[in-house]
Amino acid sequence: MAKTIQAIRGMNDLLPEQTAAWQQVEAIIRQVAASYGYQEIRMPVLESTALFKRSIGEVTDIVEKEMYTFDDRNGESVTLRPEGTASCVRAGNQHGLLYNQIQRLWYMGPMFRYERPQKGRYRQFHQFGIETFGLAGADADAEVILLSARLWKALGMADQVELQLNSLGSNEARARYRDALRDYLEQYKSELDEDSQRRLDSNPLRILDSKDANTQQLLEHAPKLSDYWDEESKQHFDELKARLDAAGIEYVLNERLVRGLDYYNRTVFEWVTTALGAQGTVCAGGRYDGLVEQLGGKATPAVGFAMGMERLVLLLQEQEKLAPRRAVDAYLMPLGEAAELNAQAVAEKLRNELPDLRIVVHSGGGAMKKQIKKADKSGAEVALILGENELENNQLTVKPLRTTDDQQTFGWSELIVALKPLTQE
């Protein structure tokens, strides 16, 4: 007997009982994004490795340790995308969508990072992302944050998440602060945790979100990012806060919030929750005005965010925010040869009349008792009995499976009325 092949570690299957929850979340995401005028874009999962090295930064953990990179048959280095923003910018540049234009785009799909799999975090994971191009003002920042806030409300999770907000200032201000932070931390280098020591030269801002308690204590007296803001960035951040205040969006200022990717400037934000145990980020984003030009396009302001779908679905399930949905509404049971011959045709007529009705036709014959067991196991709300009399009189008998109501026989028009509520679950 051949050895059974297993899925690659960290690459998880989504089974039918799980996909129903995902579909509910995806439907809400699509509706909220559309309500703000955002359009869907779909990018390939495989891109040139140079795209991510130039955008994310060669000294980030993602590029150094987490990317799935290999040479294709032509000897060109390609990478399974570890995040969506760089791919979205590449597509916008390639197809002329960005220069002197305003674009509101969203995407959803798989990303890939080689890291230790854990609950809600996998090596193949899925992200929903929002990207806005061509708008430099704080109103665009406010819009993407308001969209994310509305999404939490639509998911029933507004009371379970907290918005944390910061500004990195301009690229020049960020560079000045990076040098000041490095100079301060150099005197404590031996006391820093191992990761922070490695980042001190390559990416010192990442030390600000170190989870090491001793490192965090050392940062108490470190230079403050806000002291290095340029005046324009300060005005931008003040306007953003004023817009969020006007919209009634609560937030917490977090000066150590920097985000892990090199392309961010000015506004950065995260939605965090403790509903999954220790505080964790479930949505993050910010402004990245230099990335389009960095990837070969004309200078274009941009702001966006991304959220991990696995953690989002897990969060909703643990908070019991997703209503269970049945896979089948009605189970059609043909009794007798003539009924078996015509059952699928009858089911097609029902689908024509009620396109949202989820109906399964019994296969394999058998007595009524056997078919009732199959109908009950399917999870259907009702069984539809098609016998010789029903076939001859253009009728169906409806037998409730989840209540004690009596079964009833309906003519065709009455049947459609009787089944309509099943499509409005």
Side-chain angles (χ1 to χ4, degrees), residues 145 161-165 244 249-252 269-271:
I145 293 174
V161 292
E162 175 187 88
L163 174 63
Q164 296 189 357
L165 197 63
L244 295 179
I249 302 297
E250 296 182 0
Y251 54 87
V252 173
F269 65 92
E270 291 184 355
W271 289 95

Side-chain angles (χ1 to χ4, degrees), residues 47-324:
E47 299 270 12
S48 169
T49 302
L51 172 65
F52 303 113
K53 285 188 174 182
R54 286 169 60 183
S55 60
I56 297 172
E58 291 202 42
V59 292
T60 58
D61 285 352
I62 294 174
V63 171
E64 286 182 335
K65 299 189 289 188
E66 298 173 3
M67 294 203 312
Y68 279 88
T69 297
F70 56 94
D71 289 346
D72 67 12
R73 292 188 177 185
N74 289 327
E76 296 179 8
S77 182
V78 294
T79 296
L80 290 170
R81 63 184 185 196
E83 59 99 36
T85 299
S87 289
C88 190
V89 171
R90 191 271 311 150
N93 280 340
Q94 182 174 337
H95 300 286
L97 300 180
L98 304 183
Y99 182 58
N100 277 343
Q101 299 177 68
I102 295 173
Q103 296 287 354
R104 291 176 167 88
L105 305 173
W106 70 269
Y107 53 83
M108 191 175 349
M111 313 290 167
F112 303 83
R113 294 185 192 179
Y114 189 89
E115 53 186 342
R116 184 171 64 86
Q118 52 187 294
K119 188 177 182 181
R121 289 182 178 270
Y122 305 108
R123 290 174 177 174
Q124 176 178 310
F125 60 100
H126 296 75
Q127 278 188 346
F128 160 64
I130 284 285
E131 314 290 357
T132 302
F133 298 99
L135 296 170
D139 52 350
D141 303 29
E143 179 177 278
V144 299
I145 293 174
L146 288 168
L147 189 157
S148 61
R150 182 165 297 277
L151 185 56
W152 292 120
K153 184 177 180 181
L155 292 167
M157 291 297 299
D159 60 342
Q160 298 289 323
V161 292
E162 175 187 88
L163 174 63
Q164 296 189 357
L165 197 63
N166 194 20
S167 174
L168 300 177
S170 65
N171 287 331
E172 293 76 16
R174 177 176 170 169
R176 290 196 302 272
Y177 175 68
R178 184 173 60 240
D179 292 342
L181 180 63
R182 183 189 292 115
D183 290 344
Y184 168 79
L185 290 174
E186 276 286 355
Q187 58 189 319
Y188 304 106
K189 184 172 182 178
S190 62
E191 300 177 51
L192 297 172
D193 62 276
E194 186 177 340
D195 275 348
S196 295
Q197 289 184 26
R198 182 175 55 84
R199 290 169 172 161
L200 188 56
D201 292 324
S202 61
N203 198 353
L205 266 64
R206 287 300 313 278
I207 299 175
L208 294 177
D209 59 12
S210 168
K211 301 299 186 289
D212 182 76
N214 187 58
T215 297
Q216 283 297 321
Q217 191 172 0
L218 292 173
L219 289 168
E220 289 293 334
H221 301 291
K224 290 187 175 182
L225 182 56
S226 56
D227 291 338
Y228 291 80
W229 288 345
D230 55 292
E231 189 59 32
E232 190 175 348
S233 293
K234 186 179 183 302
Q235 291 176 1
H236 185 103
F237 196 49
D238 287 343
E239 182 182 342
L240 170 61
K241 291 185 291 183
R243 287 177 178 272
L244 295 179
D245 291 339
I249 302 297
E250 296 182 0
Y251 54 87
V252 173
L253 298 178
N254 178 1
E255 285 214 33
R256 296 186 186 175
L257 174 59
V258 293
R259 303 297 302 130
L261 307 181
D262 281 357
Y263 52 62
Y264 284 109
N265 69 302
R266 290 194 177 168
T267 304
V268 287
F269 65 92
E270 291 184 355
W271 289 95
V272 300
T273 183
T274 57
L276 291 173
Q279 186 181 91
T281 301
V282 285
C283 173
R287 181 164 282 281
Y288 51 98
D289 292 336
L291 183 58
V292 175
E293 188 174 17
Q294 187 177 327
L295 293 178
K298 299 291 180 65
T300 302
V303 60
F305 70 78
M307 60 172 58
M309 296 291 292
E310 279 82 0
R311 299 200 79 202
L312 176 59
V313 172
L314 180 62
L315 178 63
L316 293 168
Q317 288 175 327
E318 294 202 353
Q319 296 296 308
E320 298 182 347
K321 297 295 184 179
L322 297 176

